[in-house]
Amino acid sequence: MGVKIIGTGSYVPEKVMTNADLMKLVDTSDEWIITRTGINERRIASEEQATSDLAYPAAVRALEAANINAEELDGIIMATVTPDQPLPSTACLLQKRLKNTKAFCFDLQAACTGMLYAVEVAHSMIQSNKKYNKILVVAAEKLSYITDWSDRNTCVLFGDGAGALVLERTESEDDSILATSLHADGSFADILKVEAGGSRIPMTAELIGSGRNCIKMDGREVFKLAISAMEDSCREVMNENGVTSSDIDWLVPHQANLRIMNMVAQRLKIDSERVYVNVNRYGNTSAATIGICLDEMIRGGMIQRGQIVLMTAFGGGLTWGSILLRY
Ligand code: UT7
């Protein structure tokens, strides 16, 4: 038996925040943001929209594309660092909106690598247990809620959005997931973090204004580590499958910084026409980036059945990994 992606969906909020808008908040420039990151604009959720409100339309679109009812789902896995609330999981809240009653539901936190972790978990569950035929994987983030809008080092980078896909067991031997490599190194926990708001430093009124409940990042250090880690994990899945750079139809990297994506592609000898980029339109939406990319590419007819897609991500944890896919 194999596992296939049978539908994808995505959603980004309507509100566009441009670099010019950010120049009104912090000491920055359109030129700095574009040359250092490749970002022109990002989407920002409204105050009323929580993460599950971004996840829901993405999930509905993925179910429509898969041509199945929500009731057919055996599982819902949600990758997010911005759950609606601490309890219950955002996956359970999404299940309720989808009116599904039989799926297992849980959230998974692997920061920007969340989508890849979630796909590997869903894939392994389908492969190892006949009870699971169809699993919805959603990655949704309302990063604007944990962004310090007075910190120019971070606030120009992030955006909100959601990506979703449905994985299904197939009778054919042909498995879409050709190889996966997932990694983490908690010794770098401090270089990309939201330190307050959990059980170690519980939320207080003073903390809200302090920025300690927001993303802090040593950008330069993350930048350096991200390039080598993504390159190495891409090589791992390529070697495991005997695939060379010229066999890769598409590289779909986590959308954090255009310079990082270009350097990874260069090192892997994948030319820029085969690298999908939308960071210019959405910024870094953490776990959601790869789901949004896949949906845009599949709907736009860029990814065709049978093509080889290499996905790679890197984020807080640190976590990183790659998945080699035959769509
Ligand atoms: O999704 C998880 C993974 N995250 C990433 O992969 C992000 C990785 N890091 C990056 O993408 C880049 O490091 C950043 C885009 C965050 C920063 O770019 P950089 O080229 O590494 O800049 P830098 O941090 O070395 O800062 C260079 C200068 C500094 O000024 P000084 O100290 O040289 O005077 C910063 O203060 O740029 C300054 N700076 C800014 N200037 C204008 C930092 N942010 C801004 C800003 N506007 N928004």
Side-chain angles (χ1 to χ4, degrees), residues 28 32 36 112 152-153 219-220 254 256-257 259-260 284:
T28 190
W32 190 97
R36 299 290 179 124
C112 302
R152 71 173 184 173
N153 292 298
R220 224 172 283 189
H254 169 52
N257 186 316
R259 287 187 293 146
I260 296 178
N284 177 353

Side-chain angles (χ1 to χ4, degrees), residues 198-262:
S199 59
R200 169 112 17 229
I201 307 175
M203 190 58 77
T204 59
E206 296 75 54
L207 270 175
I208 291 172
S210 73
R212 291 177 72 198
N213 59 322
C214 295
I215 304 167
K216 288 277 170 284
M217 176 169 69
D218 178 345
R220 224 172 283 189
E221 195 59 21
V222 173
F223 189 100
K224 254 185 359 219
L225 292 164
I227 295 166
S228 305
M230 287 198 279
E231 180 196 356
D232 291 349
S233 79
C234 283
R235 288 196 192 285
E236 239 180 273
V237 293
M238 287 164 69
N239 291 341
E240 189 182 324
N241 216 261
V243 159
T244 63
S245 298
S246 58
D247 299 320
I248 308 285
D249 292 297
W250 289 105
L251 175 66
V252 182
H254 169 52
Q255 308 283 310
N257 186 316
L258 184 58
R259 287 187 293 146
I260 296 178
M261 292 186 253
N262 286 342

Side-chain angles (χ1 to χ4, degrees), residues 5-320:
I5 296 177
I6 59 163
T8 60
S10 62
Y11 172 80
V12 290
E14 271 158 41
K15 185 180 167 193
V16 176
M17 185 182 249
T18 63
N19 293 345
D21 294 328
L22 281 159
M23 286 163 62
K24 294 176 200 145
L25 298 179
V26 289
D27 178 16
T28 190
S29 67
D30 187 42
E31 199 256 333
W32 190 97
I33 302 172
I34 292 175
T35 53
R36 299 290 179 124
T37 70
I39 302 169
N40 293 75
E41 57 187 44
R42 65 290 290 145
R43 301 300 181 95
I44 303 295
S46 68
E47 264 180 46
E48 298 75 41
Q49 278 179 314
T51 294
S52 68
D53 301 318
L54 310 181
Y56 178 71
V60 167
R61 288 168 190 173
L63 293 169
E64 279 168 7
N67 201 18
I68 63 166
N69 294 318
E71 197 48 65
E72 295 174 54
L73 293 172
D74 304 301
I76 300 174
I77 304 176
M78 166 78 72
T80 187
V81 297
T82 50
D84 284 23
Q85 53 197 70
L87 181 73
S89 70
T90 309
C92 282
L93 299 172
L94 178 63
Q95 180 200 28
K96 179 178 158 192
R97 287 226 11 222
L98 291 172
K99 299 194 172 58
N100 168 288
T101 52
K102 73 166 184 183
F104 66 78
C105 295
F106 64 92
D107 288 1
L108 176 156
Q109 209 271 49
C112 302
T113 322
M115 183 53 130
L116 299 189
Y117 269 61
V119 166
E120 166 70 334
V121 170
H123 175 244
S124 303
M125 290 183 79
I126 292 174
Q127 275 199 325
S128 62
N129 193 327
K130 292 202 296 286
K131 277 190 294 205
Y132 307 131
N133 285 301
K134 295 182 181 70
I135 298 181
L136 173 69
V137 172
V138 190
E141 302 285 13
K142 185 180 179 180
L143 292 183
S144 57
Y145 153 77
I146 51 166
T147 296
D148 180 346
W149 293 103
S150 65
D151 176 12
R152 71 173 184 173
N153 292 298
T154 52
C155 75
V156 301
L157 305 172
F158 302 114
D160 301 330
L165 52 90
V166 181
L167 289 180
E168 183 186 45
R169 170 195 302 275
T170 64
E171 290 314 317
S172 105
E173 292 284 292
D174 194 13
D175 197 340
S176 274
I177 311 291
L178 301 177
T180 59
S181 110
L182 298 181
H183 296 276
D185 187 346
S187 65
F188 287 100
D190 265 349
I191 69 171
L192 178 43
K193 65 182 176 186
V194 177
E195 65 177 349
S199 59
R200 169 112 17 229
I201 307 175
M203 190 58 77
T204 59
E206 296 75 54
L207 270 175
I208 291 172
S210 73
R212 291 177 72 198
N213 59 322
C214 295
I215 304 167
K216 288 277 170 284
M217 176 169 69
D218 178 345
R220 224 172 283 189
E221 195 59 21
V222 173
F223 189 100
K224 254 185 359 219
L225 292 164
I227 295 166
S228 305
M230 287 198 279
E231 180 196 356
D232 291 349
S233 79
C234 283
R235 288 196 192 285
E236 239 180 273
V237 293
M238 287 164 69
N239 291 341
E240 189 182 324
N241 216 261
V243 159
T244 63
S245 298
S246 58
D247 299 320
I248 308 285
D249 292 297
W250 289 105
L251 175 66
V252 182
H254 169 52
Q255 308 283 310
N257 186 316
L258 184 58
R259 287 187 293 146
I260 296 178
M261 292 186 253
N262 286 342
M263 287 175 90
V264 171
Q266 238 170 44
R267 289 186 182 194
L268 294 171
K269 300 200 166 37
I270 297 175
D271 40 77
S272 55
E273 298 87 76
R274 290 183 287 148
V275 183
Y276 193 69
V277 173
N278 64 15
V279 72
N280 51 319
R281 289 181 280 134
Y282 307 132
N284 177 353
T285 57
S286 186
T289 67
I290 287 182
I292 297 172
C293 287
L294 280 184
D295 185 47
E296 288 187 344
M297 295 174 81
I298 289 169
R299 276 173 199 270
M302 297 174 83
I303 298 181
Q304 302 286 333
R305 284 284 175 200
Q307 283 194 326
I308 305 276
V309 181
L310 176 58
M311 305 182 283
T312 187
F314 184 91
L318 297 173
T319 58
W320 67 96

